[in-house]
């Protein structure tokens, strides 16, 4: 296409005419020149006719074109009367587009929009959630005070809507209503309080934004929702994350004590190292040690993964949170993420560099490793160059100043004169802050006086003057030399010349200064008495100038805010409060969820009291705690700073071993004499060997009563099942060392918040044989695990036993690839003993070679983010043709992503992966038909997916449907009062979200398969897997 034709299309709207299917007629303009500037009245007339058509297809086409015009920035307001007539259309697609248009123009055309107010009110009851939400958006966009009561009523109803999308729009409408009528504040706060309790991630960000806009000072509304917001943070939309993080930063500054006391305390300890013991004791009594609040740690831990977010605003929000509320020793993690943002566009770079400049003044060490990232590039704009110079100056020290000065020499030669002048100022600041290079910098600036560029010379003179003023005694010779140079210059003429230049300068401030100085140093008849004191005025003793960073005083503004960028308090800025001296009551953040599950509340209390230590007498218990206090205290700080989820597997391991010792050795403690306790107190080694012997006897007893597969599932017996007969003659010292190895591991791990089976006081194993194939637990353990319901759901929904356990196995490692080692895995559909969020997986290892395979263990784990794996204990050796079954626990985070890891032997490592079918990510739940219908009623709209299944009538018998469904997924059958409706229920292992499956038989050979769940992705995958199974014979 030629340039002329391109210009014609762009100017005359020819492109739009072609798009709208119109023919350019000669009647529009008599000449081509006039046609270039013709109006679009013809186009709008056609659109109006299409909107008034009786055909929905024409209306839909017209609305699509109108919305396209709005997207291109064109004015479509004159079409408002024609569009608003279609607001009551029965076609869903037309209605959606009409609402999109109305949201854009309702504020401009308020009178016409008010005529359709009754239609909007009816649409608030529409069964389609998108229509309800759009109607609320249009209603809140009509800025007329007379409809405030109607808006208030609509917001209250929408806040209780079943759809989270509608509730999200209700939160958006709160802000609009508040700006229209601030007197509604109290009623809006009630709605905000209600929406803050919402568990949907879709609503969280919007309601916090409404909270910040309407009542940011009502911190009491956040208390009970604080932990929920921290846990939901990772799943909230990106812009919602930014708002929540800023709000939680302010909250933390009011509810927790300063974590920076810890650092101050360390410094004091170093200073007072040589003080007497009495003085140290007095000071230690006065100064209480800092212990971080668990809720404070929860916020810091849950925001750390967001440093990897693709959204620069989220990374910046987390960085300011770490800067303002985390211990100084942990704030360094943000530096790498901020440097990563420097690869973004220039606007992002500008904001990030401003914040780094403020941080680098107080804590240089954070950004020193990334010094080269702040080197100036030739393509950087001037604003970015000056900010990088500022940061380089802040990071300058004796170690890197020589490198920086060489870099500055190159910058001075830049064609960007403003940047070159800024570089000269930077050299002057380096000279004042680092005395070792002050002479070098001064000599370099003197050399720049001979530069051809007047801006470089002028800036050099100003900086040299400031340096000489700051240290006049050290540079007396230079001052004298410059004074002698003035003798050779006609000072009077030079002064007159400068004053004449200033008289006609464009800057009025310079003109005023020039007039003032002229009257003082060149007196005339009109000069007043002030000219007599000119010498005292100009040659008075003045303080030396300070070369300071312009970012020195910005730290009182919260990082990442507009106020920090402008260095002035902007409208709507909320200041960070100072840390409280004493932390407010932390119990206000406790949520009364535990009351609904009274069965296991005492268990949590008994766990805190360490019931597993009851094997020995009370005096022995105290002695053991004293002995272990050293190792536990040394590791408490490091384990506290780590992610809580990261330490789950090791913690569970330790607790299960400890409690298994307790349960197996209880009879011995009941019948033991006091003399025996005294002997144990004298000899720790003997005591541990005795406990190991007693434990060994009980294990032998269990092994004789139950199958060998049972013992293989427990961690300590993964190798014990093979060596049960060989270990009779094993010496006691080896057992003692094993016990010692396990004990510190137990003490190092912090106590888990979750309640597990093996923590129960009344645990009493029953020696009933296990009926399930290759079981990992005895029936008593399964029964106890079934009784545990740790989710926050209703007490009537409990985990039940699996209806069916598939015998299908999956190949993990082929014998050819594994050099004789073959491995396969299966899902036993039992609650995992290693963690309530983990899926139990049984791995069967076979040695198909003719040699012994040694040290079989799991090596490097390459798991996706968030996924965790509890490995089995290394297997010392596997004889030829031998086989062993071990259990592992994997937290798949409710996804079907494969868990990749290495299965290693003494000589080789093999890359393997476990891919979970979506049906194995569920736990069956038992619930009544009434509860099923109630829960299903809350999971409609976007949480519901359905498909029609076609099959022969003989495939739709109740037994066939039950068998097919439970073979695919670990679902529990729900009793149904209708013969043609079959219901199944489960919950996801990781998050505890309900998965409700309904098979509704229709007339003929069809059935409707419906899945309701909060996890639409898992629901759609399960739907795809169930459909072909139900269809086939």
């Amino acid at each position: 296409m030629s340039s002329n034709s391109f210009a014609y299309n762009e100017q005359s709207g020819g492109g739009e005419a072609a798009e709208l299917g119109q023919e350019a007629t000669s009647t529009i303009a008599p000449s081509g020149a006039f046609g270039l500037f013709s109006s679009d009245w013809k186009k709008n007339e056609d659109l109006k006719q299409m909107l008034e058509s009786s055909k929905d297809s024409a209306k839909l086409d017209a609305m699509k074109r109108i919305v396209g015009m709005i997207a291109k920035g064109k004015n479509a307001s004159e079409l408002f009367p024609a569009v608003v007539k279609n607001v009551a259309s029965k076609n869903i697609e037309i209605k959606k587009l009409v609402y999109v248009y109305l949201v854009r123009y309702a504020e401009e055309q308020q009178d016409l929009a008010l005529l359709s107010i009754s239609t909007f009110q009816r649409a608030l009851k529409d069964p389609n959630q998108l229509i309800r939400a759009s109607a609320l958006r249009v209603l809140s966009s009509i800025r007329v005070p007379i409809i405030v009561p109607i808006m208030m009523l609509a917001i209250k109803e929408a806040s209780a809507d079943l759809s989270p999308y509608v509730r999200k729009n209700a939160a958006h409408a709160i802000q609009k209503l508040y700006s229209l009528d601030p007197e509604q504040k109290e009623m809006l706060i009630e709605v905000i309080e209600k929406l803050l309790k919402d568990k949907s991630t879709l609503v969280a960000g919007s309601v916090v934004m409404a909270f910040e806009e309407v009542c940011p000072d009502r911190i009491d509304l956040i208390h009970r929702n604080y932990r929920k917001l921290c846990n939901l943070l990772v799943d909230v939309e990106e812009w919602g994350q930014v708002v929540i993080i800023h709000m939680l930063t302010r909250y933390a500054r009011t509810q927790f004590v300063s974590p920076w006391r810890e650092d101050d305390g360390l410094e004091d300890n170093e200073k007072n190292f040589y003080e007497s013991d009495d003085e140290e004791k007095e000071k230690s009594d006065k100064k209480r040690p800092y212990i971080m609040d668990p809720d404070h740690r929860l916020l810091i831990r849950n925001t750390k993964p967001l440093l990897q977010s693709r959204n620069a605003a989220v990374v910046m929000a987390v960085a300011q949170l770490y800067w303002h509320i985390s211990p100084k020793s942990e704030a360094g993690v943000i530096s790498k993420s901020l440097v990563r943002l420097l690869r973004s566009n220039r606007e992002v770079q500008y904001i990030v560099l401003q914040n780094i400049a403020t941080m680098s003044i107080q804590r240089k060490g954070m950004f020193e490793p990334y010094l080269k990232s702040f080197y100036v590039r030739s393509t950087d704009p001037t604003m970015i160059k000056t900010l990088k110079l500022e940061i380089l100056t802040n990071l300058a020290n004796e170690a890197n100043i020589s490198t920086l000065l060489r870099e500055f020499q190159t910058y001075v030669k830049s064609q960007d004169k403003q940047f070159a002048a800024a570089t000269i100022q930077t050299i002057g600041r380096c000279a004042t802050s680092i005395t070792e290079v002050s002479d070098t910098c001064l000599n370099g600036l003197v050399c720049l006086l001979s530069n051809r560029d007047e801006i470089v010379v002028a800036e050099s003179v100003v900086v040299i003057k400031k340096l000489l003023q700051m240290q006049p005694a050290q540079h007396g010779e230079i001052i004298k030399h410059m004074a002698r140079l003035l003798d050779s210059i006609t000072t009077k003429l030079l002064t007159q010349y400068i004053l004449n230049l200033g008289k006609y300068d464009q800057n009025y401030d310079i003109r005023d200064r020039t007039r003032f100085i002229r009257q003082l140093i060149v007196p005339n008849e009109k000069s007043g008495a002030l000219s007599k004191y000119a010498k005292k005025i100009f040659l008075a003793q003045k303080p030396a100038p300070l070369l300071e960073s312009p970012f020195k005083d910005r730290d009182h503004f919260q990082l990442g805010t507009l106020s920090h960028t402008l260095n002035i308090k902007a409208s709507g800025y909320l200041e960070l409060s100072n840390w409280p001296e004493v932390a407010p009551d932390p119990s206000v953040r406790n949520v009364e969820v535990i009351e609904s599950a009274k069965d296991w509340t005492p268990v949590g209390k008994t766990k805190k009291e360490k019931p597993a230590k009851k094997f020995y007498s009370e005096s022995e218990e105290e002695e053991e705690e004293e002995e272990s206090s050293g190792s536990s205290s040394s590791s408490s700080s490091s384990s506290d700073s780590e992610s809580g989820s990261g330490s789950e597997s090791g913690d569970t391991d330790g607790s299960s071993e400890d409690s298994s010792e307790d349960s197996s050795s209880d009879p011995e403690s009941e019948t033991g004499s006091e003399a025996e306790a005294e002997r144990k107190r004298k000899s720790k080694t003997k005591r541990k060997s005795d406990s190991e012997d007693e434990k060994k006897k009980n294990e032998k007893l269990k092994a004789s009563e139950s199958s060998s597969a049972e013992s293989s599932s427990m961690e300590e017996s993964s190798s014990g099942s093979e060596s049960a007969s060989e270990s009779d003659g094993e010496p006691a010292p080896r057992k003692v060392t094993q016990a010692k190895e396990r004990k510190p591991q137990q003490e190092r791990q912090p106590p888990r918040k979750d309640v597990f089976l093996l923590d129960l006081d009344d645990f009493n194993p029953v020696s009933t044989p296990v009926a399930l194939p290759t079981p990992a637990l005895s029936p008593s353990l399964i029964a106890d695990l079934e009784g545990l319901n740790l989710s926050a759901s209703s007490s009537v929904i409990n985990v039940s036993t699996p209806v069916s356990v598939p015998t299908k196995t999956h190949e993990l490692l082929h014998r050819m690839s594994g050099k004789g080692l073959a491995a396969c895995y299966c899902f036993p559909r039992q609650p995992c003993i290693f963690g309530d969020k983990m899926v139990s997986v049984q791995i069967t290892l076979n040695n198909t070679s003719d040699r012994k395979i040694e040290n079989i263990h799991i090596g490097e784990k390459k798991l996706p983010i968030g996924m965790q794996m509890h490995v089995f204990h290394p297997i010392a050796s596997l004889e030829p043709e031998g086989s062993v079954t071990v259990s592992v626990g994997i937290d798949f985070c409710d996804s079907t992503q494969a868990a990749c890891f290495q299965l290693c032997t003494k000589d080789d490592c093999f890359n393997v992966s476990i891919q979970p079918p979506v049906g194995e990510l569920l736990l069956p739940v038992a619930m009544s038909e009434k509860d099923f219908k109630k829960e299903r009623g809350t999971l409609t709209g976007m949480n519901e997916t359905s498909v029609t299944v076609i099959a022969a009538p003989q495939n739709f018998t109740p037994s066939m449907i039950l068998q097919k469904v439970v073979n695919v997924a670990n679902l529990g059958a729900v009793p149904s009062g209708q013969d043609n409706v079959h219901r199944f229920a489960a919950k996801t292992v990781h998050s505890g979200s309900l998965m409700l499956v309904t098979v509704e038989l229709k007339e003929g050979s069809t059935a409707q398969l419906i899945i309701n769940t909060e996890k639409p992705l898992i629901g759609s995958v399960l739907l795809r897997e169930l459909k072909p199974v139900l269809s086939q014979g």
Side-chain angles (χ1 to χ4, degrees):
M1 184 184 289
S2 66
S3 59
N4 291 336
S5 63
F6 178 81
Y8 175 81
N9 281 337
E10 184 148 307
Q11 294 179 18
S12 67
E16 286 81 3
E19 180 186 355
L20 297 174
Q22 300 173 12
E23 296 181 0
T25 61
S26 58
T27 59
I28 295 177
S31 65
F34 184 72
L36 291 173
F37 306 101
S38 63
S39 65
D40 291 336
W41 67 271
K42 176 76 173 173
K43 175 181 65 178
N44 292 341
E45 284 298 322
D46 285 355
L47 287 172
K48 290 177 183 177
Q49 291 178 8
M50 295 171 72
L51 288 170
E52 292 172 1
S53 170
S54 59
K55 295 181 179 179
D56 283 351
S57 58
K59 292 181 180 179
L60 184 61
D61 194 24
M63 285 308 307
K64 286 180 179 178
R65 293 173 183 177
I66 293 170
V67 172
M69 290 171 60
I70 297 172
K72 292 177 181 177
K74 299 192 175 182
N75 186 11
S77 58
E78 64 179 18
L79 293 166
F80 194 92
V83 173
V84 80
K85 291 177 185 176
N86 294 284
V87 73
S89 173
K90 294 182 179 180
N91 188 307
I92 296 294
E93 297 301 320
I94 295 175
K95 190 178 283 190
K96 287 179 185 176
L97 294 176
V98 168
Y99 279 126
V100 170
Y101 178 90
L102 292 177
V103 169
R104 169 66 180 81
Y105 288 108
E107 193 167 347
E108 297 177 13
Q109 305 278 349
Q110 294 178 357
D111 295 336
L112 287 172
L114 282 173
L115 297 176
S116 304
I117 198 83
S118 59
T119 308
F120 302 146
Q121 288 180 281
R122 283 198 304 271
L124 290 171
K125 306 291 185 181
D126 195 279
N128 190 313
Q129 59 178 348
L130 296 177
I131 299 299
R132 297 199 302 274
S134 299
L136 182 61
R137 289 173 64 193
V138 175
L139 200 60
S140 60
S141 299
I142 303 174
R143 317 283 292 166
V144 180
I146 196 171
I147 67 165
V148 165
I150 298 175
M151 288 175 60
M152 190 70 234
L153 183 62
I155 290 174
K156 283 186 175 180
E157 291 180 356
S159 66
D161 197 280
L162 294 178
S163 169
Y165 182 68
V166 178
R167 300 198 297 272
K168 175 188 178 76
N169 281 275
H172 291 164
I174 288 173
Q175 303 166 58
K176 296 180 182 179
L177 179 56
Y178 179 70
S179 63
L180 180 63
D181 185 8
E183 294 181 0
Q184 303 290 327
K185 181 176 180 179
E186 292 304 319
M187 296 179 70
L188 290 175
I189 289 176
E190 293 178 8
V191 181
I192 291 174
E193 185 176 8
K194 179 181 178 181
L195 287 174
L196 278 171
K197 298 174 183 177
D198 202 305
K199 295 181 181 179
S200 173
T201 55
L202 203 62
V203 182
S206 302
V207 68
V208 170
M209 188 68 225
F211 169 83
E212 291 282 83
E213 195 74 26
V214 178
C215 53
D217 54 334
R218 288 290 304 274
I219 294 293
D220 58 295
L221 299 180
I222 305 298
H223 289 323
R224 291 185 175 276
N225 303 293
Y226 171 82
R227 293 169 186 164
K228 182 195 70 178
L229 288 173
C230 288
N231 291 321
L232 289 181
L233 195 54
V234 179
D235 298 320
V236 176
E237 58 178 344
E238 292 171 341
W239 296 111
Q241 290 174 344
V242 175
V243 176
I244 294 174
I245 290 171
H246 278 281
M247 185 273 294
L248 291 178
T249 304
R250 289 193 306 106
Y251 180 87
R253 288 291 288 257
T254 62
Q255 300 299 310
F256 308 126
V257 295
S258 172
W260 304 331
R261 293 181 183 177
E262 184 180 10
D263 301 332
D264 298 340
L266 292 173
E267 291 175 5
D268 291 342
N269 289 341
E270 291 173 3
K271 292 176 185 175
N272 303 337
F273 182 77
Y274 293 103
E275 289 185 3
S276 65
D277 294 341
D278 295 337
E279 291 175 348
E280 283 184 8
K281 188 174 181 181
E282 288 176 8
K283 291 202 171 187
S284 64
D285 291 341
K286 291 179 183 177
K287 183 176 287 188
R288 298 174 61 187
Y290 171 75
I291 300 175
M292 181 175 283
D293 190 293
D295 289 330
H296 192 173
R297 171 61 59 195
L298 176 70
L299 176 59
I300 294 174
R301 184 174 64 237
N302 284 14
T303 52
K304 186 175 181 180
L306 297 180
L307 287 172
Q308 300 175 10
S309 174
R310 64 182 178 180
N311 191 312
V314 176
V315 177
M316 192 64 246
V318 178
Q320 65 84 25
L321 179 138
Y322 265 75
W323 178 261
H324 289 299
I325 73 165
S326 73
K328 293 180 180 178
S329 58
E330 297 179 26
V333 299
I334 66 175
S335 53
K336 188 174 182 179
S337 300
L338 290 177
V339 170
R340 172 173 64 86
L341 295 182
L342 298 182
R343 301 170 189 162
S344 306
N345 53 54
R346 60 178 62 184
E347 292 80 12
V348 173
Q349 287 185 53
Y350 180 74
I351 298 298
V352 172
L353 287 170
Q354 276 200 326
N355 287 277
I356 291 177
T358 303
M359 295 180 192
S360 59
I361 294 175
Q362 296 185 19
R363 304 179 195 171
K364 292 185 179 182
M366 282 176 58
F367 296 97
E368 281 181 0
Y370 308 99
L371 185 69
K372 291 185 178 179
S373 299
F374 304 109
Y375 285 174
V376 175
R377 295 183 176 88
S378 58
T379 56
D380 288 338
T382 305
M383 59 179 183
I384 301 297
K385 290 178 179 177
T386 52
L387 282 173
K388 286 186 174 180
L389 270 180
E390 178 65 35
I391 295 169
L392 289 174
T393 309
N394 294 339
L395 299 181
N397 54 36
E398 293 84 353
N400 57 28
I401 187 62
S402 57
T403 307
L404 292 179
L405 286 179
R406 283 198 298 271
E407 195 75 14
F408 294 158
Q409 286 177 7
T410 309
Y411 299 164
V412 171
K413 301 173 186 176
S414 172
Q415 297 299 318
D416 187 346
K417 302 308 174 188
Q418 184 182 350
F419 171 55
T423 304
I424 293 170
Q425 294 179 9
T426 298
I427 294 173
R429 281 180 55 194
C430 290
T432 58
S433 60
I434 304 173
T435 55
E436 288 83 352
V437 294
S438 56
D439 293 336
T440 307
C441 294
L442 193 57
N443 293 335
L445 292 172
V446 171
C447 294
L448 290 177
L449 294 175
S450 59
N451 196 291
R452 294 181 181 179
D453 193 343
E454 56 185 14
I455 295 179
V456 173
V457 174
E459 199 66 42
S460 300
V461 169
V462 172
V463 174
I464 289 173
K465 182 203 74 170
K466 290 180 179 179
L467 290 176
L468 294 178
Q469 284 179 313
M470 292 174 68
Q471 298 174 334
Q474 298 181 13
H475 304 292
E477 293 299 321
I478 296 178
I479 297 173
K480 290 175 185 177
H481 177 69
M482 295 181 73
R484 291 193 195 100
L485 290 175
L486 286 175
D487 294 340
S488 61
I489 303 172
T490 309
T491 311
K492 188 173 182 181
L493 291 175
L494 180 62
T495 305
Q496 194 71 30
Y497 175 68
I498 292 172
L499 291 176
N500 286 337
L501 285 177
K503 182 178 181 181
Y504 300 104
D505 196 89
Q506 293 182 356
N507 191 325
Y508 67 86
D509 186 46
I510 291 179
R511 295 198 299 271
D512 288 346
R513 288 171 181 265
T514 302
R515 281 195 294 271
F516 173 71
I517 292 173
R518 185 188 290 274
Q519 294 298 323
L520 286 178
I521 63 177
V522 187
N524 52 28
E525 298 86 12
K526 297 181 181 180
S527 299
L530 200 61
S531 60
K532 299 176 184 179
Y533 305 101
K535 187 173 183 181
K536 291 183 178 181
I537 291 173
F538 287 110
L539 301 180
Q541 196 74 21
K542 294 182 283 294
L546 293 176
L547 297 175
E548 292 181 339
S549 169
F551 291 87
K552 184 179 180 183
D553 299 326
R554 291 199 189 191
D555 55 350
H556 61 277
F557 290 117
Q558 186 176 354
L559 295 184
T561 58
L562 179 63
S563 299
H564 177 268
T565 302
L566 302 177
N567 198 21
I568 188 171
K569 188 174 180 179
S571 176
Y573 173 72
L574 300 171
E575 292 186 355
L576 283 178
S577 60
N578 294 323
W579 295 102
E581 290 295 325
V582 179
D585 183 15
S587 64
V588 294
R589 290 184 289 276
N590 294 340
V591 184
E592 299 174 359
V593 177
I594 301 176
E595 292 180 8
S596 63
K598 295 180 180 178
D599 299 337
W600 53 273
T601 302
V603 178
K605 294 180 180 177
T606 53
K607 181 174 181 180
K608 292 179 182 176
E609 297 167 3
K610 298 183 180 177
K613 298 289 183 182
K614 294 179 181 178
F615 179 78
Y616 307 110
S617 63
E618 292 181 3
S619 59
E620 291 171 8
E621 182 177 320
E622 292 171 5
E623 179 187 344
E624 186 175 359
E625 286 178 358
E626 289 175 6
E627 291 172 353
S628 62
S629 60
S631 62
S632 62
S633 61
S634 63
S635 61
S636 60
S637 60
S638 62
S639 63
D640 189 30
S641 64
E642 293 174 0
S643 169
S645 60
S647 61
E648 282 183 0
S649 58
D651 181 28
T652 315
D653 178 19
S655 65
S656 64
E657 287 183 0
D658 186 58
S659 53
S660 65
E661 285 183 16
D662 180 19
S663 61
S664 62
S665 312
D666 249 354
E668 196 273 337
S669 64
E670 291 175 1
T671 58
S673 61
E674 292 180 3
E676 185 178 356
E678 189 68 22
R679 283 201 310 276
K680 289 181 182 177
R681 208 163 34 240
K682 291 178 181 178
S683 174
K684 183 180 177 182
T685 305
K686 183 176 180 181
R687 180 186 67 198
K688 290 196 175 182
S689 63
D690 287 345
S691 67
E692 288 293 326
D693 290 337
E694 188 65 28
K695 176 187 168 185
K696 194 176 181 67
K697 291 176 185 177
N698 284 340
E699 284 179 356
K700 285 185 180 181
L701 184 60
K702 285 181 183 178
S704 63
E705 292 175 350
S706 61
S707 64
S708 60
E710 176 187 346
S711 61
S712 65
S713 69
M714 305 300 287
E715 282 188 77
E716 63 270 12
S717 57
S718 62
S719 58
S721 61
E722 298 178 73
S723 56
S725 59
E726 298 175 5
S727 58
D728 290 334
E730 200 172 3
R734 182 179 171 187
K735 301 176 191 175
V736 174
T737 55
Q738 289 177 355
K740 285 182 179 179
E741 286 173 3
R742 281 201 302 270
K743 213 68 177 174
Q745 180 188 0
Q746 225 170 283
E747 293 162 355
R748 278 198 300 271
Q749 302 297 338
R752 283 284 308 276
K753 289 191 289 185
D754 298 332
V755 182
F756 288 110
L757 164 74
L758 299 180
D759 297 321
L760 299 175
D761 285 338
D762 57 350
F763 170 66
N764 187 17
V766 182
S767 59
T768 309
V770 182
L772 293 173
T774 61
L777 296 171
S778 66
S780 61
L781 304 191
I782 296 172
D784 284 341
L785 277 171
E786 288 162 8
L788 289 178
N789 182 18
L790 303 182
S791 66
S793 58
S794 173
S795 58
V796 297
I797 302 173
N798 299 313
V799 177
S800 63
T801 54
V803 178
S804 171
V805 179
T807 56
K808 181 181 178 182
T809 59
H810 310 267
E811 186 177 69
L812 183 66
L813 179 65
H814 192 268
R815 58 186 181 84
M816 298 299 292
S817 305
K819 299 181 181 179
L821 177 64
C824 60
Y825 65 93
C826 66
F827 297 90
R829 292 190 177 179
Q830 296 170 0
C832 184
I833 62 171
F834 306 127
D836 59 332
K837 294 184 179 181
M838 290 187 173
V839 177
S840 181
V841 183
Q842 285 189 3
I843 300 176
T844 303
L845 304 168
N846 294 294
N847 184 358
T848 62
S849 66
D850 54 357
R851 57 182 178 81
K852 184 165 66 174
I853 300 178
E854 298 180 348
N855 191 20
I856 303 174
H857 63 283
I858 289 180
E860 182 184 359
K861 291 178 284 189
K862 301 173 184 177
L863 305 177
I865 297 174
M867 191 178 291
Q868 297 173 31
M869 180 176 181
H870 188 286
V871 303
F872 59 86
H873 276 193
I875 299 172
S877 64
L878 188 60
E879 298 296 329
E881 304 301 325
S883 175
V884 64
T885 301
V886 293
S887 290
V888 297
I890 303 176
D891 183 357
F892 289 104
C893 296
D894 291 347
S895 75
T896 54
Q897 286 183 290
C900 302
F901 56 94
Q902 287 186 338
L903 184 61
C904 300
T905 63
K906 181 180 179 182
D907 305 316
D908 300 289
C909 285
F910 311 103
N911 291 320
V912 296
S913 62
I914 294 179
Q915 179 88 35
V918 67
E920 304 302 334
L921 301 176
L922 307 174
L923 285 175
V925 296
M927 59 195 312
S928 64
E929 184 178 7
K930 179 182 176 182
D931 292 327
F932 184 95
K933 291 179 178 179
K934 178 183 176 183
E935 295 292 343
R936 183 182 170 184
T938 64
L939 298 172
T940 57
M942 291 188 294
N943 295 323
E944 180 176 293
T945 53
S946 62
V947 69
T948 301
V949 181
I950 301 174
Q954 61 267 23
N955 294 331
F956 284 152
T957 60
S959 59
M960 287 291 289
I961 292 175
L962 177 65
Q963 180 184 351
K964 289 180 178 182
V965 171
V966 298
N967 278 343
V968 173
N970 191 14
L971 296 164
V974 177
S976 177
Q978 301 164 278
D979 294 335
N980 64 328
V981 179
H982 303 275
R983 298 183 176 93
F984 304 89
K987 69 174 184 178
T988 57
V989 177
H990 176 80
S991 61
S993 303
L994 281 178
M995 181 76 65
L996 307 179
V997 179
T998 306
V999 181
E1000 188 173 344
L1001 304 181
K1002 303 289 185 181
E1003 294 180 0
S1005 58
T1006 61
Q1008 188 79 6
L1009 175 61
I1010 307 168
I1011 295 182
N1012 301 78
T1013 179
E1014 292 177 3
K1015 300 283 185 179
L1017 185 61
I1018 296 181
S1020 60
V1021 176
L1022 183 59
L1023 192 78
R1024 287 199 302 268
E1025 292 193 6
L1026 282 174
K1027 182 182 176 182
V1029 173
L1030 290 173
S1031 300
Q1032 67 190 10

